Each structure stands twice: as C-alpha cells, then as structure tokens.
Amino acid sequence: MPIDQSVALGAELPEVTFSWTASDVALYHLAVGAAADPMDTEGLKYVDDASPKVLPTFATVAASFHATEPPKVVFPGVDIDLAKVVHGSQQVTAHRPLPPSGTATTRTRIAELQDKGSAAVIVQESVTTDESGETLWTARSSIFAKGEGGFGGERGSSSKVPFPDRVADHRITVPTRPNQALLYRLCGDRNPLHSDPAFAKGAGFDRPILHGLCSYGSVARAVVDEVLDGDVTKLADYSASFAGIVFPGETLQLDVWDERERLLLTASVVEREAPALGNVVCLVNR
C-alpha cells in the first residue's frame, strides 16, 4: 500500500501504557555493554538489583520491552514491509532522571513525511509521562523505507552537524560482542534482521546486523562512562543519525569534541573504516 499522506501526516498513534522493573533496566544495560568488568564498582551500579542508575537511552525500549513478536510498520495511512525499513535517526530528551522502575504512558504522532523519490522517511514524535502526568522523556525518531517514495510529499531537509576544526578531545573504543544482537533483542526488538541469517540476506546483508539502537545505547553508555564520570543524569539530550551498519563483534571508535554544554562526536567501525553513527550531539548537565 502506498503512503497516504493525507491520512498519515499528523496522525495520533494509539497511546501505550507500560511498566518496567529494575531487572529490565539491568538487562538493557548489559545489552549495551555495561558492567563488562565485574570488578568495576561504578559499572556494577548499572545492574544493581534494587536501584540501578538508568541511562536515558532506556527510553528507546521501555514501552516495548516485553514484546515477543517482530514489529510491524503499520500506522494510519502507512503499511510497509519490515524488510524495507531501517532506522534513520533517534533523539531522546530526559526531562528528569529516569526511575529504575515505574509505570508510564507514551503518546506518539507522525510529525513528518519526507518523500525522497526512491524512499520515504517517516518521523515520529512522542511524549512519555508518569502516573502523575509529569513528563519523563520526549523522543523523536525517523525510519527510512526503501522503495516507498513517490507519494507526492515534500522532500524535506537534512542538516549536518558542523564539527570543530581540531583534533577530538577524546577517542573511545567500544567493542561489541558477536552475540550482542541476540542479547539486545531480549529488550523487545525481535526484528529478524538482527537474528535470522536468511532474513538478513533477503534484506541485502551478508549476515544479521546489530540493532541501530544497540549501537546508539552503547555509544551513550561509553560517553557517560568515559566523559561524564559515570553520571547518567549529566546526559540531558542525545541525538544521532544512523550512518551505516554494524555487525556484531565489530569495534566502534568514538571521536568526541567537548564543548562543555554539549559533546559532538562521530562513531565509526574500526574493522571496515566505515561510519556507524553521524550527527551525534549530546547536551549535558555539568
């Protein structure tokens, strides 16, 4: 079904109410590489049984954490084959520290439809509130759907983040594990692109790839650990575009420019000298 922008643009998606526990948070943190050293007392705070510290990026999985079925790209005016879809970009703004357990409700709307000719970009915006109605986090994400353009929409603009003309202030190495996608999928993203070799081949990849949001979370965790003294509350806003694929087991290299109120960084795959995340901006509370 082609995209019907008269229906899709601005459409409100069904609100979702969900709950999470400290065990869910700990599993997410393990899936993005936290607590790799069992003797690192700061790292162990990510997996505390009762009150783990919570990365703001947990917001990307909280609502669907207990899902066991592959996601469907079906919204008002939109029905797209999952094999055609990749994540385009993600932004999370934490309005206050995320609690280690709780209940919340997310309300989402389709904010933009971009017609790239050979592809479509669908942008969603969401607001998540706790049981008292206070905002916990807001998020903005886009998906890129191959072959779904040509529906008559605006092309849209793409803005690139300018980087300082100097050597990066930090260089961080972030290893991934060969089975990391299999662990991360337990956080609610059961897309077979990340676990089924035959499905991945049909989508044009030699083997299953790492979830973009796993790379996204792993980079945030590394920045918190290496630049922000392990303090998750210092990461107030985090945005990135997905510039390339990562295969489980590859190594990410982060170059970070520290501008006090914000960090600018790039993430690339060491083994293939290929981009992974681009236009990465972290707004920080110093």
Side-chain angles (χ1 to χ4, degrees):
M1 170 179 120
I3 293 173
D4 185 343
Q5 65 175 336
S6 67
V7 175
L9 188 59
E12 302 282 343
L13 306 188
E15 68 178 43
V16 179
T17 298
F18 55 94
S19 299
W20 68 97
T21 68
S23 292
D24 297 333
V25 171
L27 176 55
Y28 171 75
H29 286 152
L30 291 173
V32 296
D37 180 356
M39 297 300 290
D40 175 13
T41 56
E42 188 63 37
L44 290 175
K45 293 179 182 179
Y46 282 114
V47 293
D48 184 85
D49 287 339
S51 186
K53 60 183 182 181
V54 187
L55 284 167
T57 53
F58 179 72
T60 62
V61 301
S64 58
F65 197 91
H66 298 288
T68 57
E69 297 293 330
K72 294 182 179 179
V73 190
V74 179
F75 314 124
V78 176
D79 189 346
I80 299 173
D81 181 357
L82 183 62
K84 295 182 177 181
V85 172
V86 294
H87 209 138
S89 64
Q90 181 70 50
Q91 179 179 15
V92 170
T93 304
H95 295 275
R96 51 196 175 95
L98 274 59
S101 61
T103 297
T105 298
T106 294
R107 297 172 178 85
T108 303
R109 71 183 185 94
I110 299 178
E112 290 184 40
L113 293 172
Q114 299 176 7
D115 189 342
K116 303 296 187 182
S118 61
V121 175
I122 302 170
V123 180
Q124 298 182 37
E125 292 180 348
S126 63
V127 178
T128 299
T129 56
D130 64 13
E131 291 181 290
S132 68
E134 295 293 319
T135 301
L136 286 170
W137 65 79
T138 54
R140 182 179 173 91
S141 65
S142 71
I143 57 174
F144 184 88
K146 296 176 287 185
E148 296 296 328
F151 57 85
E154 297 292 331
R155 182 172 180 82
S157 60
S158 59
S159 57
K160 291 188 176 181
V161 175
F163 287 87
D165 186 19
R166 57 181 170 84
V167 175
D169 299 296
H170 306 273
R171 173 162 283 184
I172 305 169
T173 299
V174 184
T176 68
R177 297 185 298 275
N179 67 344
Q180 191 153 350
L182 300 179
L183 179 59
Y184 186 85
R185 71 192 298 268
L186 301 181
C187 300
D189 189 338
R190 303 303 179 103
N191 187 338
L193 178 64
H194 310 292
S195 60
D196 184 335
F199 186 94
K201 184 176 181 180
F205 300 104
D206 293 336
R207 58 189 189 275
I209 64 175
L210 194 63
H211 303 70
L213 285 178
C214 184
S215 298
Y216 178 84
S218 298
V219 167
R221 190 266 313 157
V223 168
V224 167
D225 289 349
E226 301 296 331
V227 183
L228 301 179
D229 306 314
D231 187 348
V232 294
T233 67
K234 289 183 178 180
L235 185 57
D237 184 282
Y238 172 42
S239 60
S241 59
F242 299 98
I245 62 169
V246 178
F247 291 108
E250 291 185 325
T251 305
L252 297 177
Q253 179 177 287
L254 315 184
D255 286 318
V256 185
W257 289 264
D258 191 336
E259 297 189 331
R260 295 299 300 167
E261 289 80 14
R262 66 176 189 167
L263 306 173
L264 307 178
L265 63 134
T266 61
S268 58
V269 178
V270 172
E271 290 82 355
R272 292 182 286 113
E273 298 183 348
L277 297 182
N279 296 320
V280 186
V281 180
C282 302
L283 303 184
V284 297
N285 299 313
R286 294 290 190 178

